[in-house]
Amino acid sequence: MTTWISQAAAAEIVGCNATTIEHAVAVGRIAHRPRRGPRPSLDRASVEAFAKTWQAEQARRAERRAARPARDPEPTGPPPTDDVWLDSPTTAALLGWTPTYVARLADHDRLPGIRHGRRWWFRRADVERYAAARAFALRFKTA
C-alpha cells in the first residue's frame, strides 16, 4: 500500500522549498498521481528517495563552494590616487545627463574615466574640462 503526501509535507521531508518539489515531480524524480481536489498526490517512498539524493547533492555543492578560492572583495571607493574622483551619478548630475549615459560615454572613450570595481569613476578636472568644451561647442553652434 502506497502512502500519499502533499507537496508541503514533501518539502518538509526533503528540506527544500515547494518549487523544488514541483520541479522534481515535473522531471520524474518523484512519483505522483493525478490531482483530484485537495487530496495528497506524491508517493512517500519516492519523496524519501529524492530526499537522500537531494541532501547528497547539497553536500557536494557545499564542498565545491568551500573548495573555491576566496575572491577579493569588490572595491567600492574611488581609485587610490591623490586626484578628486566623481562617480557616475555625481558626474551625471554635473553634466545634466543620466548615470547610464555617462557610463556609456566612458565605455566608448568619449568621456575619460576608469572602472574601479563595478563603478565608473571620473577625475573632477576631466569632467569640468568636458563640461566647458560642451558649453563652448553649444555656444558657437547656436550663434
Short mmCIF file of all heavy atoms in Angstrom, two decimals, residues 46-82:
data_model
loop_
_atom_site.label_atom_id
_atom_site.label_comp_id
_atom_site.label_asym_id
_atom_site.label_seq_id
_atom_site.Cartn_x
_atom_site.Cartn_y
_atom_site.Cartn_z
N SER A 46 9.05 7.62 -2.91
CA SER A 46 9.85 8.34 -3.91
C SER A 46 10.33 9.68 -3.35
O SER A 46 11.41 10.14 -3.70
CB SER A 46 9.07 8.52 -5.21
OG SER A 46 7.98 9.39 -5.02
N VAL A 47 9.53 10.29 -2.48
CA VAL A 47 9.96 11.54 -1.84
C VAL A 47 11.16 11.27 -0.93
O VAL A 47 12.13 12.03 -0.92
CB VAL A 47 8.80 12.20 -1.06
CG1 VAL A 47 9.30 13.32 -0.18
CG2 VAL A 47 7.73 12.70 -2.02
N GLU A 48 11.11 10.19 -0.17
CA GLU A 48 12.23 9.86 0.72
C GLU A 48 13.49 9.51 -0.07
O GLU A 48 14.60 9.88 0.32
CB GLU A 48 11.83 8.73 1.67
CG GLU A 48 10.80 9.19 2.70
CD GLU A 48 10.20 8.06 3.51
OE1 GLU A 48 10.45 6.88 3.18
OE2 GLU A 48 9.47 8.37 4.47
N ALA A 49 13.33 8.83 -1.20
CA ALA A 49 14.49 8.53 -2.05
C ALA A 49 15.05 9.83 -2.64
O ALA A 49 16.28 10.01 -2.69
CB ALA A 49 14.08 7.57 -3.17
N PHE A 50 14.16 10.73 -3.04
CA PHE A 50 14.60 12.02 -3.56
C PHE A 50 15.31 12.82 -2.46
O PHE A 50 16.29 13.53 -2.73
CB PHE A 50 13.41 12.81 -4.12
CG PHE A 50 13.77 14.19 -4.58
CD1 PHE A 50 14.54 14.40 -5.71
CD2 PHE A 50 13.37 15.30 -3.85
CE1 PHE A 50 14.89 15.67 -6.12
CE2 PHE A 50 13.70 16.58 -4.25
CZ PHE A 50 14.47 16.77 -5.38
N ALA A 51 14.84 12.71 -1.23
CA ALA A 51 15.46 13.44 -0.12
C ALA A 51 16.92 13.03 0.05
O ALA A 51 17.79 13.87 0.29
CB ALA A 51 14.68 13.21 1.17
N LYS A 52 17.20 11.73 -0.06
CA LYS A 52 18.58 11.26 0.07
C LYS A 52 19.47 11.83 -1.03
O LYS A 52 20.58 12.31 -0.77
CB LYS A 52 18.63 9.73 0.04
CG LYS A 52 18.04 9.09 1.29
CD LYS A 52 18.06 7.59 1.18
CE LYS A 52 17.35 6.96 2.38
NZ LYS A 52 17.19 5.52 2.23
N THR A 53 18.99 11.77 -2.28
CA THR A 53 19.79 12.30 -3.38
C THR A 53 19.93 13.83 -3.27
O THR A 53 20.99 14.38 -3.57
CB THR A 53 19.19 11.93 -4.75
OG1 THR A 53 17.87 12.47 -4.85
CG2 THR A 53 19.16 10.44 -4.95
N TRP A 54 18.87 14.49 -2.85
CA TRP A 54 18.90 15.95 -2.70
C TRP A 54 19.93 16.36 -1.64
O TRP A 54 20.73 17.28 -1.86
CB TRP A 54 17.52 16.47 -2.33
CG TRP A 54 17.48 17.93 -2.01
CD1 TRP A 54 17.44 18.50 -0.79
CD2 TRP A 54 17.48 19.00 -2.95
NE1 TRP A 54 17.41 19.87 -0.89
CE2 TRP A 54 17.44 20.20 -2.21
CE3 TRP A 54 17.52 19.07 -4.33
CZ2 TRP A 54 17.42 21.45 -2.82
CZ3 TRP A 54 17.50 20.33 -4.92
CH2 TRP A 54 17.46 21.48 -4.18
N GLN A 55 19.93 15.68 -0.51
CA GLN A 55 20.87 16.02 0.55
C GLN A 55 22.32 15.72 0.13
O GLN A 55 23.24 16.48 0.44
CB GLN A 55 20.50 15.29 1.84
CG GLN A 55 19.22 15.85 2.44
CD GLN A 55 18.58 14.94 3.47
OE1 GLN A 55 19.09 13.85 3.73
NE2 GLN A 55 17.48 15.38 4.04
N ALA A 56 22.52 14.63 -0.59
CA ALA A 56 23.87 14.33 -1.09
C ALA A 56 24.31 15.39 -2.09
O ALA A 56 25.47 15.84 -2.08
CB ALA A 56 23.89 12.95 -1.75
N GLU A 57 23.40 15.82 -2.95
CA GLU A 57 23.71 16.86 -3.93
C GLU A 57 24.05 18.18 -3.23
O GLU A 57 24.99 18.87 -3.62
CB GLU A 57 22.49 17.04 -4.84
CG GLU A 57 22.70 17.90 -6.04
CD GLU A 57 21.46 17.91 -6.92
OE1 GLU A 57 20.91 16.83 -7.20
OE2 GLU A 57 21.03 19.01 -7.29
N GLN A 58 23.29 18.52 -2.20
CA GLN A 58 23.56 19.75 -1.45
C GLN A 58 24.91 19.67 -0.74
O GLN A 58 25.63 20.66 -0.66
CB GLN A 58 22.43 20.03 -0.45
CG GLN A 58 21.10 20.34 -1.09
CD GLN A 58 21.18 21.49 -2.07
OE1 GLN A 58 21.71 22.54 -1.77
NE2 GLN A 58 20.66 21.28 -3.26
N ALA A 59 25.26 18.50 -0.23
CA ALA A 59 26.56 18.32 0.42
C ALA A 59 27.70 18.49 -0.59
O ALA A 59 28.72 19.14 -0.28
CB ALA A 59 26.64 16.95 1.09
N ARG A 60 27.54 17.93 -1.80
CA ARG A 60 28.55 18.11 -2.84
C ARG A 60 28.71 19.58 -3.21
O ARG A 60 29.81 20.08 -3.39
CB ARG A 60 28.20 17.29 -4.08
CG ARG A 60 28.57 15.83 -3.99
CD ARG A 60 28.51 15.14 -5.34
NE ARG A 60 27.24 15.31 -6.03
CZ ARG A 60 26.16 14.53 -5.84
NH1 ARG A 60 26.23 13.53 -4.97
NH2 ARG A 60 25.05 14.73 -6.50
N ARG A 61 27.58 20.29 -3.33
CA ARG A 61 27.65 21.72 -3.66
C ARG A 61 28.37 22.49 -2.57
O ARG A 61 29.16 23.39 -2.84
CB ARG A 61 26.24 22.29 -3.83
CG ARG A 61 25.58 21.89 -5.11
CD ARG A 61 24.22 22.52 -5.23
NE ARG A 61 23.57 22.08 -6.44
CZ ARG A 61 22.33 22.38 -6.76
NH1 ARG A 61 21.58 23.10 -5.95
NH2 ARG A 61 21.80 21.95 -7.89
N ALA A 62 28.10 22.15 -1.32
CA ALA A 62 28.76 22.84 -0.20
C ALA A 62 30.26 22.57 -0.21
O ALA A 62 31.06 23.49 0.04
CB ALA A 62 28.15 22.40 1.13
N GLU A 63 30.67 21.35 -0.53
CA GLU A 63 32.09 21.02 -0.62
C GLU A 63 32.77 21.81 -1.73
O GLU A 63 33.86 22.36 -1.55
CB GLU A 63 32.28 19.52 -0.86
CG GLU A 63 32.02 18.66 0.35
CD GLU A 63 32.09 17.18 0.01
OE1 GLU A 63 32.57 16.82 -1.09
OE2 GLU A 63 31.67 16.38 0.86
N ARG A 64 32.12 21.87 -2.90
CA ARG A 64 32.68 22.64 -4.01
C ARG A 64 32.78 24.11 -3.67
O ARG A 64 33.75 24.78 -4.00
CB ARG A 64 31.83 22.45 -5.27
CG ARG A 64 32.07 21.13 -5.96
CD ARG A 64 31.54 21.13 -7.38
NE ARG A 64 30.21 21.68 -7.53
CZ ARG A 64 29.09 20.97 -7.64
NH1 ARG A 64 29.14 19.67 -7.61
NH2 ARG A 64 27.93 21.56 -7.79
N ARG A 65 31.76 24.63 -2.99
CA ARG A 65 31.75 26.04 -2.58
C ARG A 65 32.90 26.31 -1.60
O ARG A 65 33.56 27.34 -1.67
CB ARG A 65 30.41 26.39 -1.94
CG ARG A 65 30.02 27.82 -2.05
CD ARG A 65 28.62 28.09 -1.52
NE ARG A 65 27.60 27.33 -2.23
CZ ARG A 65 26.75 26.47 -1.66
NH1 ARG A 65 26.79 26.27 -0.36
NH2 ARG A 65 25.85 25.82 -2.36
N ALA A 66 33.12 25.39 -0.68
CA ALA A 66 34.18 25.56 0.31
C ALA A 66 35.56 25.43 -0.33
O ALA A 66 36.52 26.06 0.13
CB ALA A 66 34.03 24.54 1.43
N ALA A 67 35.66 24.64 -1.41
CA ALA A 67 36.95 24.43 -2.06
C ALA A 67 37.34 25.58 -2.99
O ALA A 67 38.50 25.70 -3.36
CB ALA A 67 36.93 23.13 -2.85
N ARG A 68 36.37 26.43 -3.36
CA ARG A 68 36.68 27.55 -4.23
C ARG A 68 37.60 28.54 -3.53
O ARG A 68 37.45 28.80 -2.35
CB ARG A 68 35.39 28.31 -4.59
CG ARG A 68 34.71 27.78 -5.80
CD ARG A 68 33.61 28.70 -6.20
NE ARG A 68 32.35 27.99 -6.03
CZ ARG A 68 31.18 28.52 -5.83
NH1 ARG A 68 31.05 29.81 -5.74
NH2 ARG A 68 30.12 27.79 -5.70
N PRO A 69 38.53 29.11 -4.28
CA PRO A 69 39.38 30.12 -3.65
C PRO A 69 38.55 31.37 -3.33
O PRO A 69 37.63 31.72 -4.05
CB PRO A 69 40.44 30.42 -4.72
CG PRO A 69 39.82 29.99 -6.00
CD PRO A 69 38.87 28.87 -5.67
N ALA A 70 38.92 32.00 -2.23
CA ALA A 70 38.20 33.20 -1.82
C ALA A 70 38.50 34.33 -2.80
O ALA A 70 39.63 34.52 -3.24
CB ALA A 70 38.62 33.61 -0.42
N ARG A 71 37.44 35.07 -3.15
CA ARG A 71 37.62 36.20 -4.05
C ARG A 71 37.92 37.45 -3.25
O ARG A 71 37.48 37.60 -2.11
CB ARG A 71 36.34 36.43 -4.86
CG ARG A 71 36.11 35.38 -5.91
CD ARG A 71 35.07 35.81 -6.87
NE ARG A 71 33.76 35.39 -6.38
CZ ARG A 71 32.62 35.68 -6.95
NH1 ARG A 71 32.59 36.43 -8.02
NH2 ARG A 71 31.49 35.25 -6.46
N ASP A 72 38.68 38.33 -3.87
CA ASP A 72 38.94 39.61 -3.23
C ASP A 72 37.64 40.39 -3.19
O ASP A 72 36.84 40.34 -4.13
CB ASP A 72 39.99 40.40 -4.01
CG ASP A 72 41.36 39.75 -3.95
OD1 ASP A 72 41.60 39.03 -2.97
OD2 ASP A 72 42.16 39.97 -4.87
N PRO A 73 37.42 41.15 -2.12
CA PRO A 73 36.20 41.94 -2.07
C PRO A 73 36.18 42.99 -3.17
O PRO A 73 37.22 43.50 -3.58
CB PRO A 73 36.23 42.58 -0.68
CG PRO A 73 37.64 42.50 -0.26
CD PRO A 73 38.24 41.32 -0.96
N GLU A 74 34.99 43.28 -3.65
CA GLU A 74 34.82 44.25 -4.72
C GLU A 74 35.14 45.65 -4.19
O GLU A 74 34.62 46.07 -3.16
CB GLU A 74 33.36 44.21 -5.19
CG GLU A 74 33.07 44.99 -6.44
CD GLU A 74 33.62 44.35 -7.69
OE1 GLU A 74 33.74 43.13 -7.73
OE2 GLU A 74 33.93 45.09 -8.62
N PRO A 75 36.04 46.39 -4.86
CA PRO A 75 36.33 47.74 -4.38
C PRO A 75 35.10 48.63 -4.53
O PRO A 75 34.40 48.57 -5.53
CB PRO A 75 37.47 48.22 -5.28
CG PRO A 75 37.49 47.31 -6.44
CD PRO A 75 36.82 46.04 -6.03
N THR A 76 34.83 49.44 -3.53
CA THR A 76 33.64 50.28 -3.56
C THR A 76 33.96 51.76 -3.68
O THR A 76 33.12 52.53 -4.08
CB THR A 76 32.80 50.07 -2.29
OG1 THR A 76 33.61 50.33 -1.16
CG2 THR A 76 32.26 48.66 -2.23
N GLY A 77 35.15 52.16 -3.33
CA GLY A 77 35.50 53.57 -3.36
C GLY A 77 36.23 53.95 -4.62
O GLY A 77 36.44 53.14 -5.53
N PRO A 78 36.64 55.21 -4.70
CA PRO A 78 37.37 55.66 -5.89
C PRO A 78 38.76 55.05 -5.96
O PRO A 78 39.26 54.50 -4.98
CB PRO A 78 37.44 57.18 -5.68
CG PRO A 78 37.30 57.37 -4.22
CD PRO A 78 36.43 56.26 -3.73
N PRO A 79 39.41 55.16 -7.11
CA PRO A 79 40.78 54.64 -7.24
C PRO A 79 41.72 55.33 -6.25
O PRO A 79 41.54 56.50 -5.92
CB PRO A 79 41.15 55.00 -8.68
CG PRO A 79 39.85 55.17 -9.38
CD PRO A 79 38.90 55.69 -8.36
N PRO A 80 42.73 54.63 -5.80
CA PRO A 80 43.63 55.19 -4.77
C PRO A 80 44.70 56.12 -5.35
O PRO A 80 45.84 55.71 -5.56
CB PRO A 80 44.25 53.94 -4.14
CG PRO A 80 44.22 52.93 -5.23
CD PRO A 80 43.01 53.23 -6.05
N THR A 81 44.32 57.35 -5.67
CA THR A 81 45.28 58.37 -6.11
C THR A 81 44.95 59.67 -5.40
O THR A 81 43.97 59.76 -4.67
CB THR A 81 45.22 58.59 -7.63
OG1 THR A 81 43.93 59.08 -7.98
CG2 THR A 81 45.51 57.32 -8.40
N ASP A 82 45.76 60.70 -5.64
CA ASP A 82 45.55 61.98 -4.98
C ASP A 82 44.52 62.85 -5.69
O ASP A 82 44.21 63.95 -5.23
CB ASP A 82 46.88 62.75 -4.89
CG ASP A 82 47.84 62.07 -3.93
OD1 ASP A 82 47.36 61.34 -3.04
OD2 ASP A 82 49.06 62.26 -4.08
#
